[in-house]
Amino acid sequence: MNPDLLLERKKNILEHLSMLPRKILSLHGHDNLTDLVLHELCNERCFNIDKAAYFIDNPDFDCLRGAAGHCRADFSEHDGDIWQSPDYFVGYSQKSPFNQKVRSCMHDSSFRHKKDERETVACIAQELDLSRHGFYSWPLKNDNHGIFIYERAQDSDFEGHDDFLPEGVVLLSFCPVNVSLIP
């Protein structure tokens, strides 16, 4: 990729990410804020991800469970500002087959059982039909762990953008955890 285009692309990603905290605060307490943030991270203006799944690993409850999923194909007919009509978007999101599949995913905690994280992610990726997956994991509060598994768009110009992915997906940590995620 042309260095000037790469620099412009990185600038656009950073601008997009810098607006998310304010948006998160505007809907703080919304039960499905995670769906909105995940949609924004996958946006073409941000990381340009076709499919993504956010999981929370809770060693205390021996549970690794899907919190939210995003598949671009499931949102092909949705347009408009999701932050202006969050309830409408969440209703649309909850009908997404991929989101439903992610939310129904449940495994034993890989951290509690000291399982190899790459093997756990590979198993989940196969379950979700993510053939070209990548992932990032990070510590959450209360000794939980976040896991973000994703599949980029085939035509993605993602060269050099991986350095921003951790800063973006960590924003999911600021979303309240839906009570249904706790067994």
Side-chain angles (χ1 to χ4, degrees):
M1 179 182 266
N2 175 322
D4 291 335
L5 290 175
L6 182 61
L7 188 60
E8 183 66 24
R9 178 78 175 110
K10 286 183 174 187
K11 178 182 166 270
N12 290 337
I13 289 172
L14 290 175
E15 284 177 4
H16 194 80
L17 290 176
S18 72
M19 290 187 273
L20 275 175
R22 184 178 302 267
K23 291 177 179 181
I24 291 169
L25 281 175
S26 75
L27 292 177
H28 180 66
H30 193 283
D31 282 343
N32 297 93
L33 184 57
T34 306
D35 291 294
L36 289 110
V37 173
L38 186 60
H39 182 78
E40 286 289 322
L41 293 172
C42 294
N43 191 301
E44 292 159 344
R45 294 182 315 270
C46 199
F47 294 118
N48 195 21
I49 294 173
D50 273 347
K51 290 181 179 178
Y54 172 47
F55 285 81
I56 297 174
D57 188 318
N58 183 324
D60 291 338
F61 288 101
D62 193 14
C63 177
L64 170 63
R65 190 156 187 189
H70 176 82
C71 176
R72 183 172 294 150
D74 293 349
F75 292 91
S76 61
E77 294 180 19
H78 185 274
D79 58 355
D81 184 354
I82 63 173
W83 299 94
Q84 294 300 316
S85 53
D87 292 328
Y88 173 77
F89 174 79
V90 167
Y92 198 86
S93 176
Q94 289 177 345
K95 293 175 188 168
S96 157
F98 186 75
N99 190 14
Q100 291 173 358
K101 193 173 189 178
V102 169
R103 287 177 182 262
S104 69
C105 255
M106 191 146 125
H107 297 269
D108 294 338
S109 167
S110 60
F111 283 89
R112 181 179 188 147
H113 297 282
K114 297 178 179 31
K115 295 179 186 172
D116 181 76
E117 191 174 37
R118 290 187 186 282
E119 287 178 23
T120 300
V121 167
C123 176
I124 293 170
Q126 183 177 11
E127 194 175 329
L128 297 175
D129 298 320
L130 300 175
S131 57
R132 305 172 327 275
H133 74 277
F135 81 97
Y136 177 73
S137 65
W138 69 100
L140 297 173
K141 61 186 176 183
N142 302 320
D143 295 322
N144 294 320
H145 304 271
I147 301 173
F148 181 79
I149 306 169
Y150 60 96
E151 184 173 86
R152 295 197 202 291
Q154 289 242 354
D155 61 343
S156 180
D157 62 347
F158 213 78
E159 178 188 329
H161 301 73
D162 277 333
D163 46 343
F164 297 132
L165 189 65
E167 301 348 302
V169 298
V170 163
L171 292 172
L172 291 164
S173 307
F174 296 102
C175 300
V177 176
N178 192 323
V179 181
S180 65
L181 290 176
I182 301 170

